[in-house]
Amino acid sequence: MAPQASAGRRFRAYTSKHLDELTARAGFGEEERLAIRAVATVLPFRVNSYVIDELIDWDAAPDDPIYRLTFPQADMLPEADVARIADLLRKDAPRQEINRVASEVRARLNPHPAGQLQLNLPKMDDEPMPGVQHKYPETVLFFPKQGQTCHSYCTYCFRWAQFVGEPDLKMASDEIDRLVAYLRQHPEVTGVLLTGGDPMIMGEAVLRRYIEPLLEVETLESIRIGTKALAYWPQRFVTDPDADDTLRLFEQVVNSGKNLAFMAHFSHPRELEPDIVREAVRRIRDTGAVIRTQAPLIRTINDSSETWATMWRTQVRLGMIPYYMFVERDTGPQDYFAVPLAQAYEIFRKAYNSVSGLARTVRGPSMSATPGKVCVDGITEINGEKVFMLHFIQARNPELVNRPFFAKYDEKAVWLFDLKPALGATRFPYEEEAPSEPGALVDTPHP
């Protein structure tokens, strides 16, 4: 493949003000474009020149998977809500009125799933720590203030509430010193995940201000960076002005004796094809960082075993480690993108069966639900009852980790809380009363 035309270009973002022009390029008529704009008043839209010029097959749009990955669709939200907002746009209603209706719709979309604002928010000296999440004993999530946007937004993003301009929905912090103090008070925390948004939207100097203090925490074993920059702006590691400085920062982390895990989000094989992506991967790996890959299973974008097997094989060939296939979370347009758990398991099983052992590091399909990460291990029949076999990969209550449990088979179920206990049980193992503190189990009864 020839070098990418946009490899040396400056970053250019397209937002909702460009949406009408871009959706016209995809072949939509005026009314369809209006409906798409209505959806974009509720859910965030942002794409960039690299995605537009190099990844989307415009001859196949709007059915092209990368187009669907980055552009809102008219039927992503309930028809009545779309029609109501479209009518306001058609009438050129005041922006304040449009925003009020959009906020009403957002409030019904479970903007912060799994109770993360209440259940995962740690305290230090009896004061809450906004922009920090501590769900599992060993791991803390930190949302750096300057990293709470992305090079492009995914239509299915479970952190969509970070990007809609409502301060009450956003998690962010620039108090790295306070995080360090918290870590020193909690030596059980061995890993910090910088997340967002996308931390790699930050320049090297800002990223360094967050990372360097963590290197002084002796009990910290690993630093993770959750990012989709390799897919959406690989120039960040190759041709951007601070690309080399960023890689030197990665080397500094590794040389400090800590593991640097680069959690790369790839949703479709096409994101792995450009030469600049492969060069970016090589450069990151040369620093000593480990690249692990993950993504959710999404209807109309990557809901086939062939797609996942191709991704995993390519990732292994490039030296990356397949890590997770997630289930679409219970937020935003879940009804639009979710794949039933039974189908998700079959897609995972068939893909897993067609790759070598080096790619079988991947886990899934996994649900990041209130009590923890729950993996669907299989579908079987026990004593004449068809059941899902499940286990906790991670849990608020460490006693539940790797403990199998069973749910009644339901071909329509798309999430953990759609399931009911099987084999005569009346409750799942996680359905117990416990204090609502970070790392603690909470009562989450099935429907």
Side-chain angles (χ1 to χ4, degrees), residues 384-431:
E385 183 177 353
K386 193 173 185 180
V387 297
F388 285 112
M389 302 182 295
L390 309 111
H391 86 280
F392 279 96
I393 296 172
Q394 182 60 284
R396 292 182 185 276
N397 179 359
E399 294 300 316
L400 296 176
V401 173
N402 217 31
R403 176 178 168 184
F405 63 102
F406 301 90
K408 293 181 179 179
Y409 178 81
D410 182 347
E411 66 178 10
K412 296 181 180 179
V414 298
W415 193 245
L416 178 65
F417 300 149
D418 296 335
L419 301 176
K420 296 181 179 180
L423 306 177
T426 59
R427 297 173 70 83
F428 286 119
Y430 59 83
E431 294 178 324

Side-chain angles (χ1 to χ4, degrees), residues 65-76:
I66 307 299
Y67 176 91
R68 298 184 67 81
L69 172 63
T70 52
F71 278 77
Q73 285 91 58
D75 52 348
M76 278 172 55

Side-chain angles (χ1 to χ4, degrees), residues 55 66 69 228 231-232 266-274 277:
L55 297 185
I66 307 299
L69 172 63
K228 199 169 168 64
Y232 279 165
F266 289 107
S267 307
H268 192 273
R270 194 180 302 159
E271 297 170 324
L272 293 155
E273 292 175 1
V277 175

